[in-house]
């Protein structure tokens, strides 16, 4: 440790820690010996933030040719936890990268794993890294680049009474005005009044009373400023607006009725722009003994605009930058890093069958960012459905389609449309044909060959057959199938037997039927659990997304559970599956083949 120099202070008192474990003792021997560190007393440890600390040592670190005290501290879970390094009397936040406002150095990324069998090696690595950082802090180009990459970490955020949440994407939004409403839980900001109303409607599940809106001002930096130059009072915010050509707009808001003014500031950070917010407080209007108010010394309506602005937005009006939490689609579905989201937002998918398979597919498509969903299912949720369904006990007795649509709307209120029909698909085709015919994709997960065969016959008879994906499970949920059909290609029947089973079956069952019953008419069911079901849901949803993105044609995807799972419920592999996989199949997985037209098909007759 040649660059780290030991403190010249006298040795401190004995550590105020009852027991030192072997790992800490090994570090102590080197820290106080070869490394020349000075042991921290119990009082020293208690004075440090983010404690409690079990042990610590002080070194001297050269930073820009100036010696600074650097404390190495260990907590009581060391060596399973990483050591921390604390710089006494740190410079202002944002001066050096990887240095927190409270003085702790971010030596490595959070949750970096450590080897508990090498406590001395862990500490050595952290000390070496802080030496490297101290050297790089003298390189201004490197400092600026690192701060830009983690910019929001170096802003001293103010404390808001409630969070600011935004449906505005800083990447796409170019207007200087947004709309906001102040709710009990948060201040909500959006590009248009209709966006706000739709979001609130979806969140509550009910039509909203007219919301009280205000216009927020959006300022946009062309170049990324240093963290220290970010406005810290209302006067600096006004000056920023003037520099960006928006002073008049901001002053108009300040001159309106006495109320807070919300300002969003877009920063050109990488890899995507970000936004911070300011809330200029409402002025005090009532005269209170001993307190000044915004109109003090002036008769009503006689105060000039210049004086009013100076009092509303002067240097004495503190307003710190506030974190703006994004809740727009591009952020929620991938933090601006998944380019498919914008495309999927405009797509319409209708799902017929919202049972165990279809309900999971609907939720996965919503999570992926599909912006328009319509759900069709005539059944109600029963208690025996709950363990395999996306809905829970609170929805027993409700229509599956409408209850599921409400759950998706409230969970993802930014989604453009989630509709539901509690009717059979045959009725929907007659009464609301656009619900199906105008979809970009129809997903069918009814689980009944009679219904699905009838639907496929209807689809094939259309002048332009609707792109459709059929999904189903094999007994006990240990295998799943998803088939995508488009244009005038093969139909579903081309790959099925006359009884609606895939010609490429995965499993065989020695005891014949796998259907179970309970003592009621029509009480037959297939026993399977949620774990196997999740694979089937993912298979169908993944093929649906690939199809929407143009990455799949007439495909047949198959998932199978591992052999141990199949055997545990009395099943085995079929001969055709063994031939298809070309191996002694043990571990399960996903496979794909092309869905082929058959001239002898009973539904389409192989027509082109």
């Amino acid at each position: 440790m040649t660059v780290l120099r030991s403190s010249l202070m006298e040795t401190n008192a004995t550590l105020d820690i009852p027991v030192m474990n072997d790992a800490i003792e090994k570090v102590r021997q080197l820290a106080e010996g070869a490394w020349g560190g000075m042991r921290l007393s119990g009082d020293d440890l208690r004075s440090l933030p983010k404690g409690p600390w079990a042990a610590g040592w002080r070194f001297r670190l050269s930073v820009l040719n100036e010696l600074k005290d650097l404390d190495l501290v260990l907590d009581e879970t060391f060596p399973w936890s990483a050591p921390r390094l604390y710089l006494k009397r740190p410079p202002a936040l944002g001066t050096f990268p990887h240095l927190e406002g409270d003085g702790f150095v971010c030596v490595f990324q959070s949750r970096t794993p450590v080897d508990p069998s090498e406590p001395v090696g862990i500490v050595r690595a952290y000390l070496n890294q802080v030496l490297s950082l101290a050297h790089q802090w003298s390189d201004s180009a490197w400092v600026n680049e690192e701060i830009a990459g983690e910019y929001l970490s170096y802003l001293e955020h103010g404390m808001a009474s409630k969070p600011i949440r935004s449906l505005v994407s800083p990447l796409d939004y170019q207007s200087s005005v947004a709309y906001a409403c102040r709710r009990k839980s948060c201040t909500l900001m959006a590009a248009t009044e209709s966006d706000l109303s739709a979001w609130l409607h979806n969140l509550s599940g009910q039509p909203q009373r007219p919301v009280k809106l205000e216009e927020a001002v959006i300022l946009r930096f062309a170049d990324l400023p240093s963290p220290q130059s970010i406005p810290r009072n209302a006067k600096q915010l006004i000056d920023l607006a003037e520099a960006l050509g928006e002073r008049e707009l901001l002053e108009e808001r300040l001159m309106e009725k006495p109320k807070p003014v919300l300002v969003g500031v877009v920063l050109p950070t990488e890899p995507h722009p970000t936004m911070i917010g300011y809330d200029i407080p409402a002025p005090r209007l009532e005269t209170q003994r001993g307190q000044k108010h915004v109109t003090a010394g002036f008769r009503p309506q006689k105060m000039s605009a210049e004086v009013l602005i100076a009092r509303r937005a002067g240097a004495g009006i503190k307003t710190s930058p506030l974190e703006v939490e994004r809740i727009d689609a591009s952020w929620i579905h991938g933090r601006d890093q998944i380019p498919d989201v914008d495309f999927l937002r405009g797509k319409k998918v209708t799902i017929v069958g919202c049972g165990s398979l279809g309900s999971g597919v609907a939720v996965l498509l919503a999570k992926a960012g599909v912006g328009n969903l319509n759900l069709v299912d005539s059944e109600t949720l029963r208690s025996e459905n709950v363990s395999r369904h996306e809905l829970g006990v609170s929805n027993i007795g409700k229509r599956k389609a409408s209850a599921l649509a409400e759950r998706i709307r409230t969970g993802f209120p930014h989604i453009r449309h989630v509709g539901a029909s509690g009717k059979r698909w045959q009725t929907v085709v007659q009464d609301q044909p656009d619900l199906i015919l105008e979809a970009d994709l129809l997903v069918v997960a009814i689980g009944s060959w009679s219904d699905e065969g009838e639907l496929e016959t209807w689809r094939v008879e259309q002048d332009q057959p609707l792109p459709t994906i059929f999904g189903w499970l094999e007994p006990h949920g240990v295998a799943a199938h998803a088939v995508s059909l488009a244009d005038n290609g093969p139909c579903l029947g081309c790959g099925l037997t006359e009884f609606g089973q895939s010609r490429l079956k995965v499993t065989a069952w020695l005891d014949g039927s796998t259907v179970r019953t309970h003592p009621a008419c029509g009480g037959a069911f297939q026993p399977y659990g949620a774990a196997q079901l999740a694979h089937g849901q993912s298979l169908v949803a993944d093929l649906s997304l690939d199809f929407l993105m143009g990455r799949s044609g007439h495909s047949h995807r198959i998932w199978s559970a591992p052999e141990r799972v199949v055997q545990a419920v009395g099943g085995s592999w079929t001969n055709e599956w063994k031939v298809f996989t070309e191996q002694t199949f043990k571990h399960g997985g996903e496979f794909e083949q092309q869905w082929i037209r058959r001239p002898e098909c009973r539904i389409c007759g192989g027509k082109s």
Side-chain angles (χ1 to χ4, degrees):
M1 291 290 175
T2 56
V3 181
L4 279 168
R5 285 180 272 187
S6 175
S7 172
L8 301 178
M9 298 172 61
E10 295 182 0
T11 304
N12 287 315
T14 305
L15 285 169
D16 186 17
I17 297 174
V19 178
M20 294 288 289
N21 62 30
D22 291 341
I24 291 180
E25 176 60 20
K26 290 176 182 177
V27 173
R28 185 195 67 77
Q29 292 175 10
L30 279 174
E32 297 176 17
W35 296 345
M38 181 187 62
R39 188 165 52 185
L40 296 176
S41 72
D43 288 339
D44 290 330
L45 293 171
R46 282 189 289 272
S47 70
L48 298 180
K50 297 183 179 177
W53 302 107
W57 298 267
R58 180 161 295 164
F59 302 90
R60 282 290 177 90
L61 177 67
S62 179
V63 179
L64 301 182
N65 298 319
E66 179 183 354
L67 291 179
K68 289 186 173 292
D69 289 336
L70 179 77
D71 293 344
L72 164 69
V73 289
L74 310 174
D75 65 22
E76 292 180 343
T77 64
F78 182 81
W80 296 99
S81 62
R84 295 302 308 269
L85 289 155
Y86 173 72
L87 192 67
K88 301 282 285 185
R89 294 177 292 279
L93 180 66
T95 304
F96 295 139
H98 310 296
L99 182 61
E100 300 172 5
D102 57 9
F104 279 96
V105 186
C106 297
V107 180
F108 294 108
Q109 291 184 349
S110 107
R111 301 182 184 274
T112 296
V114 296
D115 181 359
S117 68
E118 293 289 343
V120 172
I122 295 171
V123 172
R124 191 191 304 275
Y126 273 72
L127 288 174
N128 284 336
Q129 183 65 12
V130 84
L131 292 176
S132 176
L133 283 175
H135 174 72
Q136 290 175 299
W137 284 341
S138 64
D139 183 345
S140 59
W142 179 85
V143 166
N144 292 335
E145 182 180 351
E146 289 295 298
I147 288 178
E150 299 177 347
Y151 190 85
L152 295 182
S153 299
Y154 304 116
L155 290 182
E156 292 183 357
H157 292 289
M159 295 297 292
S161 57
K162 52 188 175 183
I164 301 174
R165 295 186 176 133
S166 175
L167 287 160
V168 174
S169 169
L171 180 64
D172 304 320
Y173 195 67
Q174 298 300 318
S175 175
S176 298
V177 176
Y179 293 87
C181 68
R182 297 175 186 269
R183 309 179 74 232
K184 290 182 179 179
S185 59
C186 68
T187 297
L188 187 65
M189 186 163 57
T192 66
E193 299 179 58
S194 60
D195 285 348
L196 267 177
S197 298
W199 192 92
L200 291 169
H201 181 184
N202 287 343
L203 182 68
S204 67
Q206 301 175 1
Q208 294 291 293
R209 300 176 185 175
V211 292
K212 189 175 182 180
L213 299 178
E214 61 185 78
E215 289 189 352
V217 177
I218 305 297
L219 305 178
R220 187 173 283 98
F221 276 103
D223 300 307
L224 192 64
S226 70
Q228 288 77 25
S229 65
I230 290 293
R232 291 295 189 277
N233 60 53
K235 173 63 167 59
Q236 293 174 350
L237 205 52
I238 282 281
D239 292 343
L240 173 62
E242 182 172 16
L244 298 176
E246 301 291 357
R247 181 183 181 115
E248 183 178 349
L249 178 63
L250 181 52
E251 287 187 346
E252 286 178 4
R253 301 294 174 269
L254 292 168
M255 292 288 292
E256 291 175 357
K257 294 179 180 180
K259 58 185 180 182
V261 175
L262 188 64
V263 180
V265 177
V266 178
L267 302 165
T269 49
E270 294 291 343
H272 49 74
T274 52
M275 185 186 294
I276 56 176
Y278 292 85
D279 210 3
I280 301 176
R284 181 184 292 113
L285 296 181
E286 295 79 12
T287 302
Q288 299 179 20
R289 187 178 300 276
Q291 295 184 7
K292 292 183 178 180
H293 55 95
V294 74
T295 57
F298 290 85
R299 296 176 184 176
Q301 311 301 321
K302 295 298 182 180
M303 175 182 281
S304 68
E306 291 77 8
V307 175
L308 179 59
I309 292 299
R311 291 188 176 184
R312 281 224 59 188
I317 308 297
K318 301 299 180 184
T319 175
S320 299
L322 306 170
E323 182 179 356
V324 175
E325 185 179 5
R326 286 178 56 185
I327 52 173
D328 59 282
S330 294
W331 183 254
I332 292 223
H333 302 290
R335 308 185 195 187
D336 283 339
Q337 301 303 303
I338 300 181
D340 295 353
V341 171
D342 287 341
F343 181 80
L344 292 173
R345 280 198 80 202
K347 291 300 179 181
K348 299 179 180 179
V349 176
T350 295
I351 299 176
V352 179
C354 298
S356 58
L357 181 60
S359 67
V361 172
V363 170
L364 287 173
L365 294 182
K367 288 182 175 181
V370 174
N372 299 272
L373 292 169
N374 283 300
L375 312 179
V376 177
D377 196 305
S378 62
E379 294 184 351
T380 58
L381 187 74
R382 298 174 62 88
S383 61
E384 59 266 26
N385 303 143
V386 167
S387 70
R388 306 192 308 203
H389 205 278
E390 292 296 321
L391 299 173
V393 170
S394 61
N395 294 115
I396 290 175
K398 296 180 181 179
R399 294 281 185 186
K400 292 179 181 178
S402 57
L404 183 61
E406 181 178 356
R407 183 196 156 179
I408 293 174
R409 278 193 300 266
T410 57
F412 304 93
H414 61 276
I415 286 183
R416 291 175 175 172
H417 172 79
V418 186
S421 173
K423 301 176 182 178
R424 300 178 69 231
W425 72 265
Q426 294 91 338
T427 305
V428 172
V429 166
Q430 293 178 356
D431 299 344
Q432 299 172 277
D434 291 349
L435 200 65
I436 292 179
L437 294 175
E438 292 187 357
D440 295 298
L441 179 65
L442 179 66
V443 177
V444 182
I446 303 174
S448 163
W449 167 232
S450 59
D451 270 318
E452 292 180 352
E454 183 184 0
L455 191 154
E456 178 63 347
T457 300
W458 169 84
R459 188 189 74 88
V460 170
E461 290 173 351
Q462 305 306 303
D463 293 335
Q464 188 67 35
L466 184 68
T468 301
I469 287 178
F470 286 87
W472 67 93
L473 304 174
E474 289 196 20
H476 290 280
V478 294
H481 298 257
V483 174
S484 57
L485 308 169
D487 304 324
N488 291 303
C491 78
L492 179 66
C494 289
L496 302 183
T497 69
E498 60 272 26
F499 299 108
Q501 296 179 337
S502 173
R503 293 183 178 276
L504 177 56
K505 285 180 61 179
V506 176
T507 59
W509 305 87
L510 297 177
D511 57 353
S513 175
T514 58
V515 174
R516 302 292 183 266
T517 61
H518 62 86
C521 182
F525 67 97
Q526 280 282 0
Y528 57 87
Q532 280 70 48
L533 171 63
H535 292 281
Q537 294 170 338
S538 177
L539 185 82
V540 177
D542 189 50
L543 181 56
S544 299
L545 294 171
D546 279 350
F547 196 88
L548 287 169
M549 297 302 301
R551 297 191 287 251
S552 176
H554 305 121
S555 298
H556 178 201
R557 291 186 185 173
I558 309 162
W559 168 83
S560 68
E563 186 178 48
R564 59 177 174 77
V565 175
V566 176
Q567 291 178 345
V569 289
S572 61
W573 305 127
T574 62
N575 290 329
E576 58 266 30
W577 183 244
K578 292 177 182 178
V579 171
F580 178 76
T581 58
E582 297 179 347
Q583 59 181 316
T584 303
F585 201 69
K586 298 288 185 184
H587 306 296
E590 184 178 314
F591 298 82
E592 185 168 6
Q593 66 173 351
Q594 189 174 2
W595 196 255
I596 303 296
R597 184 190 303 279
R598 284 195 311 116
E600 66 273 23
C601 175
R602 298 188 178 195
I603 293 179
C604 70
K607 66 180 180 181
S608 60

